[in-house]
């Protein structure tokens, strides 16, 4: 069970996936084998529109319908316990902060080149109108033969944003500073996410979901 201070409501989880704009589609075939594809997406209501290369055998597993999951993961990284405000005699483990959303639903291949062509074209227009306008009809016709269009009907959305919301403000400042000091793109992005997340700390230093133990015991 996700602690309440890390849980994302459905609206926030949906907005995160839409903003991320790409996720990992996971389906299981009749033999229990997993098939995964990382795909750019467009979200329309309770339906996700996407396409994949015809050479990717994943679409054959999906066929006219297959229960599937999509995963969306944001910046993540190590958070040092050295930045926690703990009593001198207490200790606590370091942790990992992240944002992760999973979408459960029903994937389906939409037959025919028209849908695949439009799915690819809509995706291009969504991200860069100028580039999309340069696509010729001949190119679109040829490309649509090499891709397969899919829809994903959303049933359930679950999300967790574990961004040190349970830490005191001065602890969060130290966590953010340490991440930014590393000067890596991933840690910088994670620091930005932590800074944007509201603090939900108790008035006293938080010592973890499990009671911290005295050093030396």
């Amino acid at each position: 069970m996700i602690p309440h201070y890390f849980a994302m409501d459905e609206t926030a989880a949906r907005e995160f996936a839409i903003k991320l704009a790409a996720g990992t589609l996971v389906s299981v075939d009749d033999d229990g084998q997993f098939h995964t594809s990382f795909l750019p997406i467009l979200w329309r209501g309770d339906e996700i529109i996407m396409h994949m290369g015809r050479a990717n055998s994943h679409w054959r597993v999906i066929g006219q319908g297959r229960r599937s999951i999509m995963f969306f993961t944001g910046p993540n990284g190590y958070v040092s316990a050295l930045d926690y405000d703990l009593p001198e005699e207490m200790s606590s483990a370091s942790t990992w902060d992240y944002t992760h959303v999973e979408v459960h639903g029903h994937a389906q291949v939409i037959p025919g080149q028209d849908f695949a062509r439009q799915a690819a074209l809509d995706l291009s227009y969504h991200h860069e109108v100028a580039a999309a306008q340069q696509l010729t009809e001949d190119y679109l016709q040829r490309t649509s033969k090499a891709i397969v269009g899919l829809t994903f009907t959303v049933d359930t959305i679950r999300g967790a944003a574990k961004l040190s919301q349970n830490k005191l403000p001065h602890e969060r400042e130290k966590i953010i500073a340490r991440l930014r000091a590393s000067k890596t793109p991933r840690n910088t992005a994670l620091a930005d996410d932590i800074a944007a997340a509201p603090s939900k700390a108790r008035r006293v230093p938080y010592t973890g979901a499990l009671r911290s133990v005295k050093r030396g015991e």
Side-chain angles (χ1 to χ4, degrees), residues 7-60:
M8 301 175 73
D9 61 32
E10 182 174 324
T11 298
R14 181 189 294 261
E15 290 176 352
F16 172 81
I18 291 172
K19 183 177 179 180
L20 207 58
T24 301
L25 175 67
V26 182
S27 309
V28 183
D29 64 23
D30 294 335
D31 295 325
Q33 299 297 311
F34 288 95
H35 298 258
T36 64
S37 298
F38 185 78
L39 302 171
I41 65 166
L42 287 176
W43 201 307
R44 294 174 177 167
D46 287 327
E47 191 171 67
I48 296 173
I49 308 299
M50 51 196 167
H51 66 278
M52 65 174 63
R54 188 170 289 276
N56 183 350
S57 61
H58 191 166
W59 69 271
R60 299 183 185 277

Side-chain angles (χ1 to χ4, degrees), residues 64-164:
Q64 294 306 299
R66 179 75 60 168
R67 289 288 300 171
S68 301
I69 298 177
M70 292 202 76
F71 294 108
F72 302 86
T73 303
N76 60 93
Y78 176 83
V79 172
S80 174
L82 296 177
D83 294 326
Y84 300 165
D85 185 9
L86 297 172
E88 185 176 348
E89 74 279 6
M90 306 298 285
S91 66
S92 181
S94 299
T95 190
W96 201 272
D97 275 7
Y98 60 87
T99 303
H100 180 77
V101 167
E102 59 181 60
V103 180
H104 298 240
H106 188 90
Q108 181 176 356
V109 172
I110 306 300
Q113 294 180 19
D114 290 344
F115 182 88
R117 175 188 182 280
Q118 194 62 48
L121 188 59
D122 288 349
L123 187 67
S124 296
Y125 269 98
H126 177 74
H127 289 287
E128 191 176 16
V129 174
Q133 289 176 335
Q134 294 181 9
L135 298 175
T136 65
E137 186 61 32
D138 177 66
Y139 174 82
L140 291 170
Q141 289 292 339
R142 287 186 287 107
T143 301
S144 63
K145 297 177 182 179
I147 61 176
V148 176
L150 303 96
T151 60
F152 185 101
T153 303
V154 177
D155 294 336
T156 306
I157 307 173
R158 300 171 184 168
K162 183 176 177 293
L163 299 169
S164 297

Side-chain angles (χ1 to χ4, degrees), residues 170-184:
H170 68 277
E171 292 177 308
R172 289 163 56 84
E173 289 175 3
K174 290 191 290 184
I175 291 168
I176 291 167
R178 185 187 295 271
L179 288 168
R180 287 182 173 156
S182 71
K183 297 183 179 179
T184 65

